[in-house]
Amino acid sequence: MINKSKLPNVGTTIFTVMSALAKEEKAINLSQGFPNFDAPTKLKALVAHYMKAGKNQYAPMQGAPELNQMLSKKINHFHGASIDPFREITVTAGATQAISNAITALIHPGDEVIVVEPAYDSYVPSIQLCGAYAVPYTLQAPDFKINWADLNRLFSRDTKMIIINNPHNPTGKVFSDEDFQELIRITKGTNIMILSDEVYEHLVFDGQQPRSVLSYPELRERSICTYSFGKTFHATGWKLGYVVAPPEITQEIRKVHQFNVFSVNAPMQYAIAEFSENLSYFEKLPDFFQTKRDFFLDKMKKSKFQPIASEGTYFQLFDYSQISDLDDVAFAKWLTKEHKVATIPISPFCTKQTNAKVVRMCFAKTEEVLGKAARKLAKI
Ligand code: PMP
Ligand code: GLN
């Protein structure tokens, strides 16, 4: 019945594949990025409270007003930017929908979008669904740093957008001030938009502060920033997030948003707004996750897996070349079946062939689980 697939090269996402294999093999699941601990008790109680209090009908299209206001306050606190809560913030069904909305609203057939890869796997299909082209800029192991002059060479007359992800999934790299200055330099005088996916904004380590394109006025005027409450509240199953963009761009994004979802989950929005009044919750996140990263790295010292420094996110890359010559997908499957630890290969995050012998492990787990996984991996 289907004459022509709109996404002929797309299969099932690697997250579904590896989580299903982990379940089948009864393996420890360090693959798909989600915590094995729960959202804060007080936040869950607030969701129950707002449900009982009758906040169960459609929220306003752009988000519950209390939440938009809280987010504006939070952005001001962390990034020093003054953002209009009602004209520049839209609450979405997770960051995935925010990204899809933004690309659908802003990208036309024939446009080119530069994608820094390895990249979260929703970006490229969203671009392709618009009849546009993803132009990959590939980060190289082991330092995965952007060479801005090389990236600049990919610009063409058709370039409409660059997608960056900071802190970066899966490499754990975080932008320095110099990276932002380079981004300002190469986009100055162009009409190129920046889609800055900042879902891990609070997960930065070793004394760094969260940094956003929103702190840089020259970038802010051309940027669309996406965020996920799933990451910040250990509640990936809630599928709630938001998108921040200048009013003119927000207006276009909402034209799409109002017809593909209209508005999202009301009681959780009111609960998050109230819970977040105390911004100290966000300030504690870096230490909370750094402790897990350091614990896991310490336990993994006994293994032949070589860590590649993670400066942010809740992911740690490991080079496995001392263990196997298998390609990363085959290795991740072998590891799940034979050693009962599921990881994520990074080649599915790339449109170009990569031979890196690297897998990603998620350390958003209890110490008990991290310790158990490290003991299994150290036996190889
Ligand atoms: N961007 C990146 C870089 C991610 O890792 C994820 C995955 N969680 C998302 C976007 C999507 O977030 P959400 O679950 O809120 O849709
Ligand atoms: N962002 C998560 C990861 O990178 C998973 C998201 C998903 O399963 N779609 O693992």
Side-chain angles (χ1 to χ4, degrees):
M1 293 300 283
I2 297 164
N3 291 329
K4 200 171 163 197
S5 170
K6 286 189 132 183
L7 296 170
N9 301 319
V10 170
T12 305
T13 89
I14 192 66
F15 306 117
T16 302
V17 171
M18 292 310 300
S19 273
L21 189 62
K23 199 164 173 201
E24 197 180 305
E25 293 292 333
K26 299 191 172 53
I28 298 176
N29 191 358
L30 305 187
S31 68
Q32 194 177 19
F34 62 87
N36 77 330
F37 40 87
D38 211 355
T41 306
K42 185 176 163 207
L43 178 58
K44 290 189 294 180
L46 283 167
V47 174
H49 163 76
Y50 281 107
M51 277 187 183
K52 284 183 198 145
K55 292 284 191 193
N56 297 310
Q57 308 309 329
Y58 292 129
M61 192 264 276
Q62 72 274 17
E66 290 83 346
L67 182 56
N68 291 48
Q69 274 163 328
M70 183 287 285
L71 291 171
S72 166
K73 193 172 107 185
K74 173 175 172 299
I75 294 167
N76 194 272
H77 177 81
F78 286 103
H79 306 306
S82 151
I83 300 286
D84 184 319
F86 304 116
R87 292 166 70 231
E88 297 186 87
I89 301 174
T90 309
V91 181
T92 59
T96 309
Q97 194 229 349
I99 292 161
S100 162
N101 277 351
I103 293 173
T104 307
L106 303 167
I107 296 303
H108 294 260
D111 286 350
E112 291 183 3
V113 179
I114 296 176
V115 179
V116 177
E117 51 179 49
Y120 180 58
D121 66 351
S122 83
Y123 304 159
V124 172
S126 297
I127 295 164
Q128 290 169 338
L129 284 171
C130 297
Y133 302 100
V135 177
Y137 171 82
T138 311
L139 299 167
Q140 301 297 338
D143 71 339
F144 296 107
K145 270 193 81 65
I146 298 179
N147 178 318
W148 292 98
D150 287 349
L151 190 145
N152 196 186
R153 274 186 216 109
L154 300 177
F155 282 18
S156 82
R157 231 185 33 211
D158 294 323
T159 308
K160 293 289 148 51
M161 181 184 271
I162 307 176
I163 304 185
I164 56 172
N165 170 214
N166 173 48
H168 185 254
N169 175 12
T171 67
K173 293 295 151 198
V174 174
F175 270 33
S176 61
D177 179 55
E178 205 183 317
D179 288 312
F180 287 108
Q181 298 302 340
E182 290 285 350
L183 189 55
I184 292 173
R185 195 179 59 75
I186 66 168
T187 51
K188 199 172 176 180
T190 72
N191 285 329
I192 296 173
M193 291 175 281
I194 298 164
L195 175 51
S196 183
D197 184 3
E198 302 182 1
V199 297
Y200 301 101
E201 73 170 323
H202 293 294
L203 278 58
V204 288
F205 312 134
D206 307 314
Q208 297 180 86
Q209 293 302 313
R211 275 221 188 93
S212 167
V213 291
L214 296 174
S215 313
Y216 297 83
E218 303 93 320
L219 295 176
R220 194 187 136 189
E221 63 187 24
R222 59 173 78 243
S223 293
I224 301 109
C225 298
T226 56
Y227 300 92
S228 170
F229 292 123
K231 308 294 169 194
T232 28
F233 296 121
H234 323 314
T236 57
W238 288 8
K239 290 302 299 187
L240 276 178
Y242 56 103
V243 51
V244 181
E248 202 191 345
I249 299 183
T250 291
Q251 230 173 29
E252 289 303 310
I253 293 177
R254 287 184 187 167
K255 287 183 189 172
V256 174
H257 178 74
Q258 67 186 341
F259 294 128
N260 69 11
V261 67
F262 181 69
S263 70
V264 299
N265 214 310
M268 285 167 184
Q269 291 193 50
Y270 293 101
I272 291 173
E274 184 171 334
F275 181 81
S276 306
E277 270 162 21
N278 182 355
L279 293 172
S280 69
Y281 172 81
F282 303 100
E283 271 152 6
K284 291 184 192 134
L285 286 171
D287 274 356
F288 176 76
F289 280 104
Q290 184 176 332
T291 306
K292 293 192 180 295
R293 180 200 65 174
D294 293 345
F295 175 86
F296 189 47
L297 282 175
D298 185 52
K299 300 288 169 207
M300 286 294 283
K301 274 187 194 147
K302 298 194 183 96
S303 80
K304 291 203 180 92
F305 287 86
Q306 297 299 312
I308 295 173
S310 171
E311 306 161 345
T313 74
Y314 46 47
F315 303 116
Q316 173 69 55
L317 292 184
F318 287 96
D319 179 308
Y320 62 82
S321 54
Q322 289 183 19
I323 299 171
S324 170
D325 286 331
L326 287 173
D327 68 59
D328 63 348
V329 174
F331 180 76
K333 289 185 176 168
W334 172 82
L335 198 62
T336 313
K337 288 180 187 157
E338 300 299 323
H339 296 280
K340 306 297 174 199
V341 179
T343 59
I344 289 281
I346 66 166
S347 57
F349 289 61
C350 300
T351 53
K352 280 192 180 164
Q353 175 98 19
T354 142
N355 296 319
K357 303 263 178 282
V358 172
V359 287
R360 188 194 83 177
M361 301 191 200
C362 172
F363 55 78
K365 308 290 169 191
T366 54
E367 291 194 350
E368 188 196 345
V369 165
L370 292 173
K372 212 167 138 189
R375 277 195 297 281
K376 284 179 185 288
L377 295 168
K379 285 191 191 137
I380 307 169

